Amino acid sequence: MMFTVEEINRDNVLLPGVSLGYKVYNGCGNENLIRAAIEAVNGDDSQGCSGQTLAVLGHSSSGVSDDINTILSSLSVPQLSHLSTCACLSDKTRYPTFFRTVPSDRFQSTALVQLMKYFDWRWVGIVFSYGTYADIATANFVKEAEEEGICIEYRLVYSRVRQEKFDVIVEALRKSSSKVVLMFMSSFYAKSFLLKMEAFNITGKQWVGSESWITQTELASPERKHILQGAMGFALPRASIPGLDEFLLSLKPSDEPQSVIIKALWENFFGCSFSPSNSSTMCTGMEDLQTVSNHYTDVTHFTAENNVYKAVYSVAYALHALLQCQNGLNPTTGKPCVNKDEVQPKLVFEHLKYVNFTTKNGAKVFFDVNGDSVARYDLVNWQMKEDGSVEIITVGQYDDSLTAEKKFNLKKVAKIVWRDNTDEVPRSVCREPCPPGTRKALNKNKPVCCFDCFECPEGTISNQTNSLDCLICPPEFWPNEKRDQCILKPTEYLSYNEVMGALLTGFGVIGVFLSLLISTIFFTHKETPIVRANNSELSFLLLFSLKLCFLCSLTFIGQPTKWSCMLRHTAFSITFVLCISCVLGKTLMVLIAFRATLPGSNVMKWFGPVQQRLSVLSSTLIQVVICILWLTIDPPFPNLNMQYYKDRIILECALGSAVGFWAVLGYIGLLAVLCFIFAFLARKLPDSFNEAKLITFSMLIFCSVWITFIPAYVSSPGKFTVAMEIFAILASSFGLLISIFVPKCYIIIFRPEQNCKKHIMGKIPPRTL
């Protein structure tokens, strides 16, 4: 303060023709502080100084500044503090004349919250001391932390005299799950707390300190290394003040011969005495301060001193603006000019609101509406050595004057040492974030940071961390295994490439081959009695229709298309009607042939070859008409079935008109039932080779297959529906082929002696089926 006043008084630009004076009071003891405030208010001059006190600088303690401003504000005497950081002092209704060149703890709390947020420390503990500074700062931090989603596991107050409170803190540190501990204390309380903590081996905690103690290197010791190694916090920026180092080191007791404080410091620095003493040498007053090393002579950087420097200059610039005059008016306020003899504390207070200047060391100074200066901090990191000494490294900055995204800046090149001398950033959360695929659920009985994570229900996803809701996938999509994204559902249909499709295809090809083989056998033996006796024309037509039946089963395999859907159902229905019509014709031929052998019967002329062809043709045409109506009104079509399975799409042929589908099946069933009845009636005819028995057995197989098919078709899922339909087609076709034609082939090839008219026309005793 003395240096700055002398520097201003030497300045020919700032306050020309005006000299600043000062009175310095010992800050030890409240009675001196009250005395200083009263003298400032009353203008009492016990020291013989002339002039009125226009501003008060100090105090460093927030609590003391509270007391001083309570007195000063009643007469609008401005007060500037260089170290009172309590956010409470920004309340202009209680402290209207208070200004400060140190940042408010409101900004420190904001900076600490940003630090926690940057490293994702969401679960922290707080230990703080009694007093205005720590109480208000802790409350502000808790409020801002909760707004950013940072939870406080515990908030415990430290007392120097109450051991039970310290025991509670130690127990909480041991049992807590949070890895970050914020220590909001003045340096006086911090020293006491750390001294007690030396005896407890509590490790694994990342300590974060307030600016009041985070740069106090005297707190370091080998016994505290397990606590303070890697400690981090925001400190006031260090700065250089041109000329101050020479001023401090040139100090002599003769400069202030009445100062008891300087004499006491001198005796302490050099181990001498100004009074005769047997234990020490006499001080000459000419000793050189540059020969000793202590906090006073460490003049490489200044922190609190820089705030004093700015505070004195703020008063000088306010006075300078107050004394300006242009055309009889003050350019700052527009009010009538004031000469130096008319200066009052209230006028200085008014002009302090408008100061805006840059000091010689580059610091920009101005005050906001709360009397607070711009907030700038250095983020420092404690890096302790083996001997217990500490090196405090600046690893980042916080500047409240910048935009929100640029306020906190971590140096990329800076090496940070963390707790327990590790290089890994501590992780401090009550619960790890809910990963994608889960949703976050708050528990009303726990802090918001101690949430629960639940897996997304079936059919839903969450693609963000800590998602509150799970999203439903679109109909054609389904969640992947992790349920963090929707993927296109796989399309399912009966393919030639899969085992089931390949087997059914193989059986269909075998059926075609057997039909061709039997046709060849019949064709090569078409003149033999067994072929001629069984109506060779209908037999060949039946074999042809069976080939088509086997082939139409192949249309059900493969990806459904518009044309394949229409083809598979119509081809199947028409070929089967053709097949059953041939069997029905053969059955009727057996019955009519038996009737024709009766005396006087001329039934054969009513059911000759022409009538047989017409009956087959007409029966088939009826099915063709039904199919045409079906295809015209509401034909089958390819459909994406998303209802049966949730996780995949069934590509199927929708029936279109269900009436058309069941009509074609019903017509086939009707013909099959008629054929079965007629064959059953002719089963006991006395011929040695009665085809009615074979037809009866084949129709029994046919009807059994299709009766079983109906419930299986309705209940089978997806591609198994198609497989059941193919199986029914193949089974019934094989039933007809084997039952009707294999016995005849057996006789033709292996029993040629039975392939004669005598054997075929021979009578055999009646036997039950």
Side-chain angles (χ1 to χ4, degrees), residues 310-557:
K310 292 187 288 185
V312 178
Y313 262 102
S314 297
V315 176
Y317 272 97
L319 280 169
H320 185 83
L322 175 61
L323 295 174
Q324 297 300 303
C325 187
Q326 293 180 1
N327 301 322
L329 297 175
N330 185 283
T332 303
T333 61
K335 296 179 180 179
C337 294
V338 176
N339 61 49
K340 62 182 179 180
D341 295 327
E342 297 174 331
V343 174
Q344 297 292 324
K346 183 176 182 179
L347 298 175
V348 178
F349 161 63
E350 291 296 332
H351 281 77
L352 270 171
K353 299 176 182 178
Y354 305 109
V355 296
N356 193 331
F357 63 94
T358 302
T359 62
K360 292 183 179 180
N361 61 357
K364 190 170 182 61
V365 181
F366 61 90
F367 301 103
D368 62 18
V369 293
N370 297 318
D372 293 327
S373 59
V374 64
R376 292 187 180 92
Y377 296 101
D378 285 339
L379 180 63
V380 297
N381 179 231
W382 280 47
Q383 300 183 9
M384 300 187 68
K385 302 175 182 177
E386 292 298 328
D387 60 359
S389 62
V390 62
E391 184 178 5
I392 298 179
I393 306 298
T394 299
V395 295
Q397 286 86 27
Y398 180 85
D399 189 342
D400 192 67
S401 65
L402 301 177
T403 57
E405 62 273 9
K406 295 181 179 179
K407 287 183 179 182
F408 179 68
N409 178 37
L410 197 68
K411 290 183 178 180
K412 294 183 178 180
V413 295
K415 181 181 184 298
I416 300 177
V417 173
W418 300 102
R419 58 174 187 177
D420 302 334
N421 202 29
T422 63
D423 296 329
E424 184 179 353
V425 180
R427 186 82 177 138
S428 186
V429 292
C430 180
R431 175 67 185 262
E432 289 295 335
C434 295
T438 63
R439 67 176 181 88
K440 177 180 176 181
L442 300 180
N443 189 328
K444 64 180 181 180
N445 298 320
K446 297 180 182 179
V448 293
C449 299
C450 302
F451 45 82
D452 295 317
C453 296
F454 294 103
E455 186 180 30
C456 284
E458 188 180 60
T460 62
I461 65 151
S462 64
N463 54 9
Q464 294 180 344
T465 301
N466 282 340
S467 178
L468 295 177
D469 296 301
C470 294
L471 307 175
I472 300 175
C473 288
E476 66 273 16
F477 290 86
W478 189 253
N480 60 353
E481 188 175 345
K482 295 182 179 179
R483 300 189 182 183
D484 58 357
Q485 62 177 329
C486 293
I487 57 175
L488 194 64
K489 290 180 181 178
T491 303
E492 180 183 275
Y493 59 88
L494 189 60
S495 169
Y496 290 103
N497 297 325
E498 57 184 299
V499 175
M500 186 187 302
L503 285 174
L504 292 174
T505 301
F507 281 114
V509 172
I510 292 172
V512 173
F513 173 76
L514 288 177
S515 300
L516 286 171
L517 180 62
I518 293 172
S519 298
T520 303
I521 294 173
F522 265 51
F523 184 77
T524 56
H525 297 81
K526 62 181 178 179
E527 300 301 331
T528 60
I530 198 168
V531 175
R532 296 182 65 185
N534 284 280
N535 198 329
S536 60
E537 185 174 332
L538 286 180
S539 294
F540 283 114
L541 186 57
L542 176 58
L543 286 170
F544 173 72
S545 64
L546 284 174
K547 294 186 189 74
L548 294 178
C549 288
F550 286 119
L551 288 174
C552 78
S553 67
L554 302 181
T555 62
F556 287 81
I557 304 174

Side-chain angles (χ1 to χ4, degrees), residues 142-433:
V142 171
K143 180 181 178 182
E144 292 198 36
E146 289 177 348
E147 291 175 355
E148 293 290 345
I150 299 170
C151 300
I152 311 302
E153 183 179 11
Y154 56 85
R155 180 170 50 169
L156 302 173
V157 62
Y158 167 68
S159 172
R160 293 171 51 246
V161 295
R162 297 179 64 180
Q163 182 64 30
E164 67 273 13
K165 286 190 174 293
F166 178 76
D167 293 339
V168 171
I169 293 173
V170 172
E171 190 67 17
L173 289 172
R174 283 175 171 168
K175 292 184 176 181
S176 64
S177 59
S178 58
K179 304 302 180 184
V180 175
V181 184
L182 175 59
M183 195 168 108
F184 244 127
M185 295 184 187
S186 65
S187 58
F188 176 72
Y189 275 95
K191 185 175 182 180
S192 170
F193 177 74
L194 292 172
L195 183 64
K196 291 184 179 181
M197 285 294 297
E198 290 178 3
F200 299 92
N201 186 28
I202 296 178
T203 58
K205 302 293 183 182
Q206 175 65 44
W207 292 84
V208 178
S210 55
E211 55 83 23
S212 58
W213 69 266
I214 198 63
T215 55
Q216 303 299 316
T217 56
E218 65 270 18
L219 296 178
S221 69
E223 294 79 11
R224 300 171 187 170
K225 185 176 180 181
H226 68 284
I227 301 174
L228 294 177
Q229 177 69 292
M232 182 177 286
F234 287 102
L236 298 177
R238 296 190 295 179
S240 61
I241 301 176
L244 180 57
D245 50 351
E246 293 88 352
F247 178 83
L248 293 174
L249 296 178
S250 65
L251 177 68
K252 300 294 182 185
S254 57
D255 298 334
E256 295 288 337
Q258 303 300 321
S259 175
V260 178
I261 293 178
I262 292 180
K263 287 183 179 180
L265 288 174
W266 205 266
E267 290 176 343
N268 184 38
F269 288 167
F270 295 102
C272 60
S273 174
F274 284 99
S275 302
S277 173
N278 294 328
S279 60
S280 59
T281 59
M282 288 292 291
C283 295
T284 65
M286 300 305 294
E287 288 84 0
D288 188 1
L289 284 173
Q290 297 190 28
T291 62
V292 296
S293 177
N294 52 46
H295 288 296
Y296 181 84
T297 60
D298 183 11
V299 291
T300 54
H301 292 93
F302 302 102
T303 50
E305 296 85 355
N306 191 42
N307 293 331
V308 176
Y309 185 69
K310 292 187 288 185
V312 178
Y313 262 102
S314 297
V315 176
Y317 272 97
L319 280 169
H320 185 83
L322 175 61
L323 295 174
Q324 297 300 303
C325 187
Q326 293 180 1
N327 301 322
L329 297 175
N330 185 283
T332 303
T333 61
K335 296 179 180 179
C337 294
V338 176
N339 61 49
K340 62 182 179 180
D341 295 327
E342 297 174 331
V343 174
Q344 297 292 324
K346 183 176 182 179
L347 298 175
V348 178
F349 161 63
E350 291 296 332
H351 281 77
L352 270 171
K353 299 176 182 178
Y354 305 109
V355 296
N356 193 331
F357 63 94
T358 302
T359 62
K360 292 183 179 180
N361 61 357
K364 190 170 182 61
V365 181
F366 61 90
F367 301 103
D368 62 18
V369 293
N370 297 318
D372 293 327
S373 59
V374 64
R376 292 187 180 92
Y377 296 101
D378 285 339
L379 180 63
V380 297
N381 179 231
W382 280 47
Q383 300 183 9
M384 300 187 68
K385 302 175 182 177
E386 292 298 328
D387 60 359
S389 62
V390 62
E391 184 178 5
I392 298 179
I393 306 298
T394 299
V395 295
Q397 286 86 27
Y398 180 85
D399 189 342
D400 192 67
S401 65
L402 301 177
T403 57
E405 62 273 9
K406 295 181 179 179
K407 287 183 179 182
F408 179 68
N409 178 37
L410 197 68
K411 290 183 178 180
K412 294 183 178 180
V413 295
K415 181 181 184 298
I416 300 177
V417 173
W418 300 102
R419 58 174 187 177
D420 302 334
N421 202 29
T422 63
D423 296 329
E424 184 179 353
V425 180
R427 186 82 177 138
S428 186
V429 292
C430 180
R431 175 67 185 262
E432 289 295 335

Side-chain angles (χ1 to χ4, degrees), residues 661-705:
F661 175 73
W662 292 111
V664 296
L665 283 186
Y667 183 65
I668 295 173
L670 175 63
L671 292 181
V673 170
L674 289 175
C675 188
F676 176 76
I677 293 173
F678 290 146
F680 184 79
L681 294 175
R683 74 190 187 284
K684 294 186 178 180
L685 296 180
D687 293 346
S688 62
F689 187 80
N690 188 357
E691 192 176 21
K693 296 178 182 179
L694 303 178
I695 294 174
T696 302
F697 185 68
S698 66
M699 286 296 103
L700 186 62
I701 296 175
F702 186 91
C703 293
S704 300
V705 167

